[in-house]
Amino acid sequence: MTLPSVIRPSRAAAPAGAWQVEVRRDEGALIELAGELRDLYERSPEATPFQSHEWLSAWWGWYGVRGRLRLVLVRYRGRLVAAAPLMTAGRWGFPVLVPIADEQSDFTDFLLDPAYADGAVEHLARALHGMRGRCAIDLPEVRPGSVVHQVMRRWPGRTWPMPASVCMELPCTGITEVMDRLPRRSAGKMRAKLRKIDVRGITVEAVPPEEAADAIGALLEMHARQWRGRPMNPEHSRERFRRHLAEAGAAMVREGRAAVLRYHWDGRLVASDLVLIGHRFVGAYLYGAIPELRDGVDVALMLLREDLALARAHGRQAVNLLRGEEPYKLKWRPRRVQNQRIVLGRGFPASLFAGLALVRAGLAARRHHRPATVPLPTPSRDDAANGAVPHEPVPHEPVPYEDGVPGGAKRDEVPQPRDDAMPVRDAGAGARKGGQSGHG
């Protein structure tokens, strides 16, 4: 459906008739708009791989429910310049809008061409605020500098930003430079472990696109083996997650937005690593390794060396270890990057929803002995000139993770099948546009 533009255009938005805002609810929208969404992703420097069309469309195919899609599009003279891929959901009994694939994504955001930012952000904020039937937009994992922060500063109603997960980042250097930052004794141990890996003759190769789906299936099998007998994110063992990850990963490898690395020892596959390639960083999403490998080598060190090399080869700024503060990440002395959960309200029920979120966040902070507040983003110079006021800090909400696994448990609200759920794609479907449907 197309919404009439009733917003007074800013300097960059004139003339008013040049702007169009549209909300697509039909199931074919993600496929029909694939080319435009891919092009907009390439023009969106703040977007992460979790906003790529390959990731979103594959997720919707295996998790989406008919009638819940809300794809908000902003065009300038017919050119797509902003998009908010959302869906309807229920949180604690409240009707809200949430990002597509939020449960399996480490970062949630909108897409925006910065060349049209002034008018596009204003139109996007007004369109989202004017959508009926939902009390709030709940954005669980917003990275610093995201488009969502720009929308929040122009939001016509109330907003509630609160700390969410913590991600760890390492600058894009060689493994030698990383070890130089460690105490001398620790660095010496790490160099000895690297020599042990090299002496054993473990080799690594990047999987070609046509083999990516099968390689991701093998990765998940090793991932399940390494967690056997211990608590694991239950979604990682489900068929729909395997099919989603295989399809999304294969498509992203084809487009240069992901890599699957396979490690062999004496001709035997012993580990595999799915790395997502964003505009600014590469992200270590998920890996699998046979349990016996840990007896001989430091698996985390082995993976990190190759992830750093991949980031350098693609000219990226950092390796992001994604959500969680596990000890194996902290030993590298990474930079701590704080995500936010941002609630954009549309009325009184939104206050109740946000209040409940804040209470739960405060209880979780005390239970896990985490800091109660963190600094929030500073408005840009343009926002400051327009009178934008920083929001007050609020309680911290920690998120559980699988210890020591990049891209582990994403949230404490793992999506569960519903009686009224109508998956967009049949579970037995074969390969389709956007990537192969799974392994085996």
Side-chain angles (χ1 to χ4, degrees), residues 5 36 152 182 370:
S5 180
E36 287 187 282
M152 180 181 69
L182 304 180
R370 298 290 185 89

Side-chain angles (χ1 to χ4, degrees), residues 72 257 316 344 416 419:
V72 184
R257 294 172 186 156
R316 298 309 188 255
L344 306 176
Q416 300 296 331
D419 293 336

Side-chain angles (χ1 to χ4, degrees), residues 73-342:
L73 308 170
V74 178
R75 299 180 185 276
Y76 182 75
R77 298 189 184 277
R79 181 179 176 84
L80 185 63
V81 296
L86 302 170
M87 62 182 185
T88 62
R91 291 288 187 268
W92 313 319
F94 290 88
V96 297
L97 288 169
V98 299
I100 294 176
D102 68 327
E103 302 289 353
Q104 276 70 50
S105 301
D106 287 75
F107 302 117
T108 53
D109 198 9
F110 304 144
L111 295 172
L112 173 69
D113 184 339
Y116 302 85
D118 190 21
V121 170
E122 183 180 348
H123 280 76
L124 184 59
R126 297 278 183 169
L128 292 171
H129 187 265
M131 295 181 69
R132 299 179 180 274
R134 302 286 130 178
C135 74
I137 302 176
D138 185 16
L139 303 154
E141 297 288 347
V142 180
R143 179 178 166 82
S146 295
V147 175
V148 171
H149 287 118
Q150 298 183 48
V151 173
M152 180 181 69
R153 289 191 282 268
R154 302 213 185 169
W155 189 250
R158 291 193 63 186
T159 63
W160 293 268
M162 60 196 80
S165 305
V166 172
C167 297
M168 299 295 180
E169 275 193 1
L170 286 169
C172 184
T173 62
I175 191 66
T176 300
E177 289 77 12
V178 172
M179 290 189 293
D180 287 343
R181 300 165 57 191
L182 304 180
R184 181 178 300 178
R185 183 177 179 184
S186 298
K189 291 181 178 179
M190 292 302 166
R191 292 188 181 94
K193 290 180 178 180
L194 279 177
R195 288 193 294 271
K196 185 181 292 186
I197 295 171
D198 295 334
V199 166
R200 278 163 170 71
I202 297 176
T203 60
V204 59
E205 64 172 353
V207 174
E210 62 273 15
E211 299 178 21
D214 287 347
I216 290 172
L219 182 158
L220 288 171
E221 291 174 5
M222 288 187 289
H223 182 71
R225 285 181 59 190
Q226 75 186 25
W227 283 97
R228 190 169 296 157
R230 296 183 293 158
M232 184 184 83
N233 182 351
E235 193 63 22
H236 289 176
S237 64
R238 296 192 173 110
E239 179 66 11
R240 61 181 179 179
F241 179 78
R242 183 180 71 85
R243 289 179 177 267
H244 151 63
L245 198 63
E247 181 176 322
M252 294 171 79
V253 169
R254 259 198 321 272
E255 298 294 327
R257 294 172 186 156
V260 181
L261 304 179
R262 286 191 297 212
Y263 296 80
H264 289 89
W265 186 3
D266 291 336
R268 179 188 181 192
L269 179 65
V270 293
S272 190
D273 187 17
L274 173 59
V275 184
L276 306 183
I277 304 171
H279 295 318
R280 301 186 185 278
F281 62 84
V282 302
Y285 184 72
L286 196 70
Y287 83 92
I290 63 172
E292 309 92 272
L293 185 62
R294 294 184 179 276
D295 297 334
V297 301
D298 186 326
V299 176
L301 177 60
M302 180 182 73
L303 300 177
L304 179 62
R305 177 167 64 173
E306 299 304 325
D307 292 349
L308 287 167
L310 185 69
R312 293 200 310 279
H314 285 82
R316 298 309 188 255
Q317 299 172 1
V319 170
N320 195 304
L321 303 177
L322 302 184
R323 291 186 283 166
E325 298 181 81
E326 299 91 342
Y328 88 97
K329 297 178 182 179
L330 296 175
K331 69 183 179 182
W332 305 116
R333 297 190 172 183
R335 182 170 72 97
R336 188 177 185 272
V337 181
Q338 178 76 57
N339 283 359
Q340 285 185 302
R341 181 178 190 171
I342 293 177

